């Protein structure tokens, strides 16, 4: 009986187990949003810890029983619940929700959610960056971030952009922000060797709570770049390839150039140049009209290829990429070629306590740059020939270098400048080859629950080789031959090696007690930078033997002369930073938060007793939407008030690279050698140093609000900030008996930048098939200076002034009124508001504006409908002025007979043409305009920075192919400007523009596929 009962029990148990297993099954599906599949979405069985993430194609597979509920969630999306029934497939389409504050942001050395962040930070993700045709990623994010002024100061491919965050906080120091790539403080001068498509996100840290942890390097803001990596998930390998082809074209200037006949007529009226020798009939019959802009500027092409492999795994993942970029500059002979390789490897132990990462990158670029731009020698600056070349001179007048030299000697003027530059195109070479190697490693281990130790070691090696050669027998070589010198020309070979090293040790403790969460960290950091350079110039080259960049054809010097003595130099510079810092982060119930930091920084740039300085910050937040009284306000999803106060330092007190101002040290008296001193002997000069030299320190506070309304359809942030920089490093006068007339030192002067920032986005339409989003950001910044003691509180440099109560480097000028109809002279306004032809120094006034815009930002829209997408980004800058010396040269009577001028000079004042705004060509006071605002022009603009249209092929059409994703994009950069600026490009960080490389208009077509 007993055994019979056991048999019946066993049978019932087996049947029960069979029934249970029959109810459990595998459910699969795809999670997507309005743009396509959604990788990384969470799929969790409600009420359990069982769950999984979707793969790169948005697919998932999970074991689940009928009747259980699957909860689908993703950052920024509304949660979706589905009950498991008889179907074995559940597909889910998610829409945006009000949880965007769960996104991860950078807060100092940590990453936190937006909900718990106290910082004023802005983020640009990979979707905004990838597949844009810019060689430098900083150009791509222009207009995307409130309070961040980015200007492409030159159109040279791969050139460094100027970045100013929340106004310039120094007069003579460097205004560059700190760049951190994968946790490693990097060099901002070499972005041309970084592939923008490797970047996953870019965060800009702006307020004290975010940047004070970077102490000595954070006063100008911090830009944190994170590169792509794999994810911890089920094993999967994904390949991606993207390619672009583009055309680069010159933006059209609005100057009114004289054509050949007009220029010859102007010369005839003036009595100088070729036109003065021709009759009216000969001028009318003249049929040469060269457009030198079209000659030196050409349409260029660009190609870009990117290939990447992403490997995901439960304990290890990696991202590997290779790219090739080739861009021809719009200026003849310029361009950039770049090859990069990257591998990011991440791993962890089964229990998740031990983690490691190894990020390595290699980049090699070759850049051909236009030299001598700006105020460089006119016989070497191609832009001069394009702007000012006389159109009646034909390129056919050039035959060879010797023939051109004879023309020049016979003419005796610079009329043949464009031909000199034609010769340079044929007889000059330069290139910069750069190799960049980055290696960043990090190890962490959780010793006990909540206590983690972290070690980070990173290094960067930059190897540059610059070569330029002016060929023997070229026009310039013949021009500078000394009497009896046979061989001319020169070759420069400059080698530069830069090494940066970073080492970080950190202990981090995180613990939650009920509604209280604490995070405490302590760290030490060491940064080392070293630069070595070797430069050689060989003077004199043998044309029969010379081969560029090989050392062949060098001429040995003889005892008879010193024509061929090489010029050599070498240097080694070093800078060290050591830091100790601690942070404290407290959260109560996701409602209130407090963050504090304290940092001690030391820099080898200062004398020993002044090397260290202390910096701190305190920040707090109030998540108002978490309060009970807010629960009835359904239209408010997120409302967070935050604020911070603190200090940060600037040890780069001399503008330039990170090594500027190190040697000679600014704290020491230097006695450089001097030849031909007393009695033709060797002597010594005196450069006074300032032993008490110390940091420039920025004190700032910030108050901000983050908000989301209508289930996240309206979202944005608003900030007010106030930054004050003290101990400014400026020059003050000395009594000449000291042996010097001035001493550069920390002063009582200070700079205040204060302003507002607003970022906002609105989903006008948001459905599964259609999405239309408009977005905008803008900022205003007031810059003012105070505390200058010397020279009645004024620093005057040429026609610029920095004075108490004003802003940095304002134009200091007479106001130009127009033309005196009586005699054609120029009229200016004197100190009493009366017209005068002879202004004096007392009549000069600050303009109240400078070359840094008071208002700047961007706006645009994103439209997506069933795979078709259109987007645009406009940028703007307002209340900004610059000197337009290019325009000034076109109006200069001194150029008549040698260079081209504007056709407006045909309307110059004469005794029979008195009602004109163009002064007489013989005006006696023309030189007074040099200190006037006549050619200071409004450089405000609104620009269509980027527009793109494309199509993402629906996955249903790819189901039977090897592809998982395919899209096509047509886009344009710098499409048009709305501006009063007449030159090639209204965008510039310079106070004045003269013969510079303009930025290009770009059109590209690209394809992007995954498999």
């Amino acid at each position: 009986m007993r055994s019979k009962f056991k048999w019946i029990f066993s049978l019932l148990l087996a049947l029960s187990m069979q029934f249970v297993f029959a109810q459990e099954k595998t459910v699969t599906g795809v999670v997507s949003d309005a743009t396509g599949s959604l990788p990384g979405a969470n799929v969790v069985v409600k009420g359990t810890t069982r769950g999984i993430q979707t793969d790169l194609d948005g697919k998932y597979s999970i074991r689940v029983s009928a009747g259980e509920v699957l909860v689908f969630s993703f950052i920024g999306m509304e949660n979706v619940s589905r009950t498991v029934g008889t179907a074995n497939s559940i597909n889910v389409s998610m829409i945006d929700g009000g949880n965007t504050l769960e996104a991860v942001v950078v807060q100092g050395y940590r990453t936190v959610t937006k909900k718990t962040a106290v910082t004023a930070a802005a983020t640009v993700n990979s979707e905004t960056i990838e597949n844009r045709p810019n060689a430098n990623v900083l150009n791509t994010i222009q207009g995307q971030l409130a309070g961040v002024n980015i200007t492409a100061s030159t159109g040279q491919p791969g050139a460094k952009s100027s970045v100013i965050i929340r106004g310039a906080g120094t007069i003579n120091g460097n205004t560059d922000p700190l760049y951190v790539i994968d946790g490693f403080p990097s060099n901002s001068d070499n972005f041309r060797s970084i592939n923008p498509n490797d970047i996953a996100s870019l965060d800009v840290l702006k307020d004290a709570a975010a940047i004070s942890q970077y102490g000595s390097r954070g006063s100008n803001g911090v830009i944190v770049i994170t590169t792509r990596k794999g994810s911890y998930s089920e094993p999967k390998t994904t390949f991606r390839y993207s390619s672009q082809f583009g055309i680069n074209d010159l933006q059209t200037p609005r100057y009114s150039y004289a054509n050949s006949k007009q220029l010859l007529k102007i010369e005839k009226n003036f009595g100088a140049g070729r036109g003065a020798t021709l009759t009216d009939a000969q001028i009318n019959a003249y049929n040469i009209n060269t457009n030198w802009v079209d000659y030196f500027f050409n349409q260029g092409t660009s190609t870009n290829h990117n290939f990447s492999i992403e490997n995901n795994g439960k304990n290890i993942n990696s991202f590997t990429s290779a790219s090739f970029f080739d861009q021809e500059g719009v200026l003849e002979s310029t361009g950039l070629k770049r090859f990069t390789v990257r591998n990011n490897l991440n791993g962890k132990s089964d229990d998740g306590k031990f983690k490691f990462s190894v990020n390595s990158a290699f980049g090699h670029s070759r850049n051909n740059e236009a030299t001598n731009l700006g105020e460089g020698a006119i016989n070497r600056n191609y832009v001069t020939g394009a702007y000012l070349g006389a159109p009646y001179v034909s390129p056919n007048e050039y035959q060879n270098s010797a023939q051109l030299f004879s023309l020049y000697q016979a003419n005796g003027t610079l009329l043949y400048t464009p031909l000199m530059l034609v010769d340079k195109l044929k007889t000059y070479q330069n290139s910069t080859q750069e190799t960049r190697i980055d290696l960043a490693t990090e190890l962490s281990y959780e010793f006990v629950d909540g206590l983690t130790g972290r070690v980070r070691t990173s290094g960067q090696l930059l190897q540059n080789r610059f070569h330029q050669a002016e060929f023997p027998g070229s026009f310039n070589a013949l021009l500078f031959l000394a009497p009896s010198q046979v061989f001319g020309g020169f070759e420069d070979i400059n080698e530069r090696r830069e090494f940066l090293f970073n080492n970080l040790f950190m202990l981090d403790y995180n613990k939650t007690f009920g509604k209280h969460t604490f995070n405490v960290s302590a760290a030490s950091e060491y940064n080392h930078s070293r630069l070595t350079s070797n430069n050689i110039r060989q003077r004199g080259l043998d044309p029969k033997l010379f081969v560029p960049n090989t050392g062949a054809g060098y001429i040995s010097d003889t005892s008879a002369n010193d024509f061929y003595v090489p010029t050599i130099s070498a240097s080694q510079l070093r800078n060290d930073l050591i830091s100790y810092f601690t942070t404290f982060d407290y959260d109560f119930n996701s409602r209130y938060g407090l963050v504090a930091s304290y940092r001690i920084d030391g820099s080898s740039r200062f004398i020993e007793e002044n090397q260290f300085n202390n910096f701190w910050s305190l920040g707090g937040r109030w998540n108002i939407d978490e309060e009970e009284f807010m629960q009835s306000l359904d239209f408010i999803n997120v409302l967070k008030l935050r604020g911070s106060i603190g200090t940060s330092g600037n040890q780069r007190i001399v503008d330039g690279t990170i090594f500027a101002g190190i040697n000679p040290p600014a704290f020491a008296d230097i006695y450089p050698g001097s030849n031909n001193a007393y009695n033709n002997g060797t002597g010594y000069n005196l450069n006074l140093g300032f032993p008490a030299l110390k940091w420039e320190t920025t004190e700032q506070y910030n108050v901000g609000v983050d908000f989301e309304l209508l289930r996240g359809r309206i979202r944005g942030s608003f900030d007010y900030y106030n930054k004050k920089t003290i101990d400014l490093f400026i020059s003050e006068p000395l009594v000449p008996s000291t042996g010097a007339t001035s001493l550069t030192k920390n002063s009582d002067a200070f700079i205040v930048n204060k302003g507002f920032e607003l970022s906002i986005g609105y989903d006008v339409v948001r459905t599964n098939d259609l999405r239309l989003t408009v977005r905008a950001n803008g900022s205003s910044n007031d810059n003012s200076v105070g505390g200058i003691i010397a020279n009645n509180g004024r620093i005057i440099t040429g026609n610029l002034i920095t004075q108490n109560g004003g802003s940095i480097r304002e134009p200091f000028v007479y106001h130009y009124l127009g033309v005196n109809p009586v005699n054609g002279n120029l009229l200016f306004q004197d100190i009493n508001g009366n017209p005068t032809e002879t202004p004096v120094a007392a009549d000069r006034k600050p303009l109240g504006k400078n070359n840094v815009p008071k208002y700047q930002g961007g706006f645009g829209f994103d439209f997506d409908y069933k795979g078709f997408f259109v987007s645009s980004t406009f940028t703007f800058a307002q209340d900004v002025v610059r000197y337009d010396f290019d325009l000034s040269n076109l109006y200069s009577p001194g150029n008549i007979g040698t260079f081209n001028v504007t056709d407006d000079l045909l309307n110059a004042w004469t005794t029979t043409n008195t009602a004109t705004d163009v002064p007489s060509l013989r005006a006696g006071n023309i030189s007074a305009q040099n200190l006037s605002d006549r050619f200071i022009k409004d450089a405000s603009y609104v620009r269509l920075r980027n527009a793109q249209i494309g199509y993402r092929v629906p996955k249903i059409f790819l189901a039977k192919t090897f592809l998982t994703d395919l899209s096509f994009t047509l886009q344009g950069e710098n499409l048009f400007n709305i501006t009063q600026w007449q030159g090639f490009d209204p965008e510039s960080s310079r106070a004045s523009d003269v013969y510079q490389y303009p930025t290009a208009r770009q059109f590209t077509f690209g394809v992007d596929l995954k498999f």
Side-chain angles (χ1 to χ4, degrees):
M1 182 72 181
R2 187 176 179 182
S3 87
K4 182 178 181 181
F5 175 79
K6 291 176 60 178
W7 180 84
I8 294 173
F9 179 78
S10 299
L11 179 61
L12 290 174
L13 182 61
L15 290 173
S16 299
M17 293 297 294
Q18 185 179 4
F19 179 78
V20 170
F21 283 115
Q23 298 304 304
E24 190 177 37
K25 60 183 178 179
T26 300
V27 173
T28 62
V30 176
V31 180
S32 61
D33 63 2
T35 63
S37 61
L38 200 61
N42 296 312
V43 184
V44 178
V45 180
K46 188 175 182 178
T48 74
T49 59
R50 289 183 290 136
I52 197 170
Q53 284 190 335
T54 58
D55 62 19
L56 289 178
D57 300 318
K59 297 178 181 179
Y60 74 93
S61 175
I62 189 169
R63 295 284 295 177
V64 65
S65 299
E68 289 187 307
V69 178
L70 293 178
V71 179
F72 301 83
S73 63
F74 190 78
I75 293 174
M77 300 286 182
E78 291 187 358
N79 291 352
V80 177
S81 298
R82 293 286 187 269
T83 301
V84 178
T86 58
N88 293 326
S89 177
I90 298 177
N91 297 325
V92 172
S93 180
M94 306 184 71
I95 62 173
D96 286 347
N99 297 318
T100 58
L101 287 193
E102 294 305 315
V104 173
V105 298
V106 174
Q107 182 174 284
Y109 285 77
R110 299 177 58 228
T111 55
V112 298
T113 64
K114 274 191 175 183
K115 188 177 186 68
T116 60
V118 304
T119 58
T123 301
V124 176
N125 59 30
S126 60
E127 293 180 358
T128 301
I129 297 172
E130 63 188 15
N131 293 329
R132 289 277 294 272
N134 299 301
N136 190 323
V137 67
L138 298 179
N139 293 341
T140 298
I141 65 173
Q142 185 184 43
Q144 307 278 346
L145 305 164
V148 183
N149 181 36
I150 301 175
T151 52
S153 300
T154 172
Q156 297 257 23
K160 175 186 174 184
S161 297
S162 170
V163 181
I164 297 178
I165 299 175
R166 291 185 166 181
T170 180
I171 294 178
N172 294 318
N174 185 271
T175 59
D176 285 345
L178 171 68
Y179 294 86
V180 179
I181 302 177
D182 290 330
F184 176 53
S186 181
N187 190 335
S188 64
D189 300 322
N190 303 85
F191 272 85
R192 61 178 168 233
S193 294
I194 296 178
N195 177 18
N197 287 281
D198 287 344
I199 295 175
S201 65
L202 186 150
D203 294 84
V204 179
L205 312 183
K206 298 181 283 188
D207 72 332
I211 67 177
S212 65
Q213 291 186 42
Y214 292 97
S216 62
R217 299 162 296 158
S219 62
N220 297 322
V222 182
I223 295 180
V224 180
I225 294 175
T226 303
T227 58
R228 293 177 181 269
K229 59 182 180 181
S231 61
Y232 294 112
S233 63
E234 292 297 323
K236 182 177 177 62
T237 300
T238 302
F239 300 90
R240 183 177 184 181
Y241 171 74
S242 63
S243 180
Q244 291 176 307
F245 175 79
I247 296 175
N248 312 316
D249 203 2
L250 184 68
Q251 297 187 70
T252 305
R254 296 189 296 163
Y255 296 129
S256 185
Y257 296 99
N259 60 33
S260 290
K261 295 178 181 179
Q262 291 170 327
L263 180 59
L264 291 169
K265 180 64 175 176
I266 292 170
E267 291 181 349
K268 185 175 179 65
N269 294 341
F270 189 69
R274 188 175 295 183
T277 66
L278 303 177
T279 65
D280 289 340
Q282 289 174 315
I283 292 175
N284 291 332
Y286 206 93
N287 59 5
I288 297 173
N289 188 37
T290 305
N291 186 332
W292 288 109
V293 172
D294 284 349
Y295 188 90
F296 287 101
F297 288 95
N298 298 292
Q299 195 175 76
T301 61
S302 63
T303 56
N304 191 10
H305 301 278
N306 292 278
F307 179 73
S308 65
I309 306 172
E310 183 174 322
N311 284 296
N312 299 331
K314 291 183 177 181
N315 294 95
I316 194 167
N317 62 71
S318 66
F319 172 83
T320 305
S321 71
S323 74
F324 175 73
F325 179 83
D326 184 3
Q327 181 177 16
E328 295 177 344
V330 293
L331 183 59
E332 187 73 19
S333 80
T334 63
L336 171 69
K337 295 179 186 293
R338 177 183 66 212
F339 172 73
T340 67
V341 176
R342 173 174 292 276
N343 178 259
N344 293 346
L345 179 68
N346 299 277
K348 65 177 183 178
S349 60
D350 288 334
D351 59 8
K353 289 188 175 183
F354 174 71
K355 296 180 181 179
F356 71 91
S357 66
V358 180
N359 295 353
S360 57
F362 170 86
H364 181 77
S365 64
R366 179 169 181 171
N367 197 18
N368 298 99
E369 297 182 344
T371 58
N372 294 98
L373 298 183
E375 297 180 351
I378 60 174
N379 58 310
R380 303 184 190 276
N381 184 348
Y382 296 128
V383 185
T384 302
Y387 273 76
L388 294 182
Y392 57 68
V393 174
S394 170
N396 295 329
E397 293 186 52
Y398 172 83
Q399 297 176 16
N400 53 58
S401 301
Q403 172 262 344
L404 174 61
F405 186 65
S406 298
L407 278 179
Y408 166 75
Q409 288 182 310
N411 179 267
T413 73
L414 296 174
L415 174 65
Y416 295 110
T417 292
L419 301 185
M420 300 174 190
L421 296 164
V422 170
D423 183 79
K424 183 184 176 183
L425 286 175
K426 302 175 182 295
T427 60
Y428 171 85
Q429 287 184 6
N430 82 60
S431 68
T432 300
Q433 296 186 57
E434 177 181 276
T435 300
R436 174 174 181 149
I437 301 175
D438 291 89
L439 181 64
T441 64
E442 182 173 313
L443 304 175
S444 67
Y445 186 77
E446 187 177 10
F447 299 104
V448 295
D449 186 26
L451 179 62
T452 302
R454 179 174 290 104
V455 178
R456 178 187 298 154
T457 301
S458 309
Q460 181 183 101
L461 177 65
L462 295 167
Q463 185 81 33
N464 281 275
R465 176 185 171 90
F466 170 75
H467 164 262
Q468 69 169 343
E470 186 174 274
F471 292 2
S474 66
F475 170 82
N476 285 323
L478 295 173
L479 182 65
F480 294 103
L481 277 179
S484 74
Q485 182 178 351
V486 177
F487 299 101
F490 67 84
E491 182 171 64
D492 290 333
I493 297 177
N494 303 331
E495 297 275 359
R496 174 188 173 99
R497 185 177 65 189
E498 188 174 335
F499 177 67
L500 288 80
F501 174 79
N502 171 267
N503 196 205
L504 173 75
F505 295 92
M506 177 179 286
L507 276 177
D508 187 271
Y509 182 69
N510 192 84
K511 194 68 176 177
T512 298
F513 302 95
K515 297 180 180 181
H516 306 274
T517 300
F518 299 87
N519 179 274
V520 181
S521 64
S524 67
E525 185 177 27
Y526 171 66
N527 288 277
H528 168 78
S529 305
R530 184 184 294 269
L531 169 69
T532 57
S533 62
N534 305 285
N535 308 311
I536 180 173
R537 167 169 286 198
Q538 170 62 37
R539 299 178 295 172
L541 304 167
D542 187 339
K544 296 180 179 179
L545 303 176
F546 176 64
V547 180
N549 207 13
T550 65
Y554 285 13
I555 302 298
S556 299
D557 190 42
T558 64
S559 58
N561 55 65
D562 290 321
F563 294 149
Y564 312 120
V565 177
T567 303
I568 59 173
S569 66
S571 68
Q572 182 171 169
L573 302 174
R574 171 178 177 170
N575 190 37
D576 293 288
L577 296 167
I578 190 167
S579 309
Y580 308 94
F581 58 94
T582 182
T583 63
F584 173 78
D585 193 335
Y586 168 72
D587 171 76
F588 174 74
N589 199 28
S590 298
R591 186 176 299 175
Y592 310 107
L594 178 69
V595 174
S597 70
Y598 185 77
R599 179 167 179 136
I600 302 173
D601 274 290
S603 172
S604 62
R605 193 181 296 266
F606 307 108
I607 203 168
E608 185 173 353
E609 52 265 33
N610 293 331
Q611 286 183 346
F612 285 88
N613 205 356
N614 305 326
F615 306 101
W616 59 272
S617 74
L618 182 66
R621 59 173 169 81
W622 177 23
N623 296 87
I624 304 174
D625 57 277
E626 294 289 337
E627 298 289 352
E628 291 184 6
F629 62 80
M630 293 292 295
Q631 303 310 309
S632 61
L633 302 177
D634 294 338
F635 69 95
I636 299 178
N637 307 111
V638 172
L639 184 61
K640 182 176 70 171
L641 177 65
R642 49 182 168 73
S644 66
I645 187 171
T647 63
S648 54
N650 182 19
Q651 50 99 24
R652 293 178 63 179
I653 52 177
V654 177
D655 196 14
T657 71
I658 62 175
F659 298 99
I662 291 178
N663 189 20
F667 58 78
D669 295 339
I670 304 299
Y671 302 91
S674 173
N675 290 327
N676 301 320
Y678 179 74
N679 197 27
N680 294 325
T682 300
Y684 297 94
N685 293 325
L686 170 62
N687 295 333
L688 291 178
F690 183 60
L693 176 69
K694 60 182 181 181
W695 309 76
E696 292 183 345
T697 301
T698 297
E699 307 162 342
Q700 66 172 309
Y701 65 86
N702 183 98
V703 178
V705 176
D706 297 325
F707 58 88
E708 289 187 18
L709 311 175
L710 303 176
R711 300 173 69 185
R713 294 188 67 167
I714 300 176
R715 55 201 175 273
S717 63
F718 176 80
D719 283 272
Y720 170 77
Y721 63 88
N722 188 302
K723 298 197 316 179
K724 182 179 180 180
T725 305
I726 60 175
D727 298 325
L728 292 176
F729 197 59
I730 62 176
S731 180
E732 295 186 355
L734 290 178
V735 177
S737 59
T738 61
T741 58
S742 65
L743 175 63
T744 303
K745 56 184 286 189
N746 295 103
S747 68
D748 294 323
F750 61 85
I751 295 174
V752 175
N753 286 281
K754 56 185 177 180
F756 300 92
E757 298 171 349
L758 174 65
S759 297
I760 192 167
Y762 173 48
D763 294 332
V764 182
V765 180
R766 188 175 66 186
T767 68
N768 288 335
D769 293 329
L770 175 63
R771 177 181 296 182
L772 174 61
T773 301
V774 294
R775 47 186 161 73
N777 74 83
S779 64
S780 68
N781 182 75
D782 287 313
N783 175 273
S784 61
V785 181
I788 301 175
I789 297 176
N791 195 28
N792 296 318
R794 305 191 305 174
I795 302 173
I796 301 174
T797 306
N799 52 9
L800 299 175
I801 187 172
T802 300
Q803 67 172 357
N804 293 334
S807 58
I808 297 176
R809 288 185 285 272
E810 295 180 19
F812 187 48
V813 290
Y814 319 118
H815 178 51
Y816 174 69
L817 295 176
V819 178
N820 188 338
V822 176
N823 57 16
N825 282 342
L826 291 75
L827 289 176
F828 306 91
Q829 188 179 74
D830 68 14
I831 192 67
N832 298 314
N834 301 314
T836 178
E837 293 184 2
T838 55
V840 295
D843 298 326
R844 297 169 69 186
K845 298 178 182 179
L847 197 61
K849 302 178 182 180
N850 59 16
N851 61 301
V852 179
K854 181 176 181 180
Y855 307 99
Q856 63 90 30
F859 57 92
F861 71 87
D862 301 293
F863 174 81
D864 197 314
Y865 178 69
K866 292 186 176 180
F868 291 95
F869 57 89
V870 181
S871 69
S872 68
T873 296
F874 291 82
T875 60
F876 67 87
Q878 301 293 313
D879 217 358
V880 54
V881 296
R882 299 206 312 276
Y883 281 85
D884 190 348
F885 282 122
D886 294 325
L887 182 64
S888 171
N889 277 297
L890 292 176
Y891 277 89
S892 173
N895 285 338
I896 299 175
T898 304
F899 299 107
N900 196 14
V901 294
T902 174
D903 58 1
D904 282 357
L905 294 190
L906 287 170
N907 191 35
W909 183 95
T910 65
T911 55
T912 59
N913 182 37
T914 59
T916 178
D917 60 353
V918 182
S920 168
L921 299 181
R922 299 289 183 182
N925 64 343
I926 192 71
S927 61
Q929 72 178 10
N930 298 334
L931 290 177
S932 80
D933 62 359
R934 183 183 180 192
F935 296 106
I936 297 178
K937 298 300 179 180
D938 185 355
S940 302
Y941 67 88
V942 176
R943 161 177 285 176
L944 180 52
R945 186 68 173 87
N946 176 267
Q948 49 182 284
I949 182 172
Y951 180 64
R952 187 177 296 105
V953 178
K955 291 187 175 11
I956 190 173
F957 298 133
L958 304 175
K960 296 183 179 181
T961 71
F962 71 97
L963 299 175
T964 58
D965 204 342
L966 176 63
S967 62
F968 304 93
T969 306
L970 178 65
Q971 63 180 311
E973 298 268 335
N974 302 325
L975 294 180
F976 67 82
N977 305 307
I978 302 173
T979 181
Q980 296 182 30
W981 186 261
Q982 293 179 258
F984 283 99
D985 191 351
E987 176 190 322
S988 174
S989 61
R990 294 180 291 268
S992 60
D993 267 8
V994 53
Y995 315 135
Q996 296 289 347
Y997 196 134
T999 57
R1001 182 183 294 110
Q1002 298 174 281
F1003 299 93
T1004 58
F1005 174 77
V1007 59
D1008 190 351
L1009 56 91
K1010 296 179 182 178
F1011 55 96

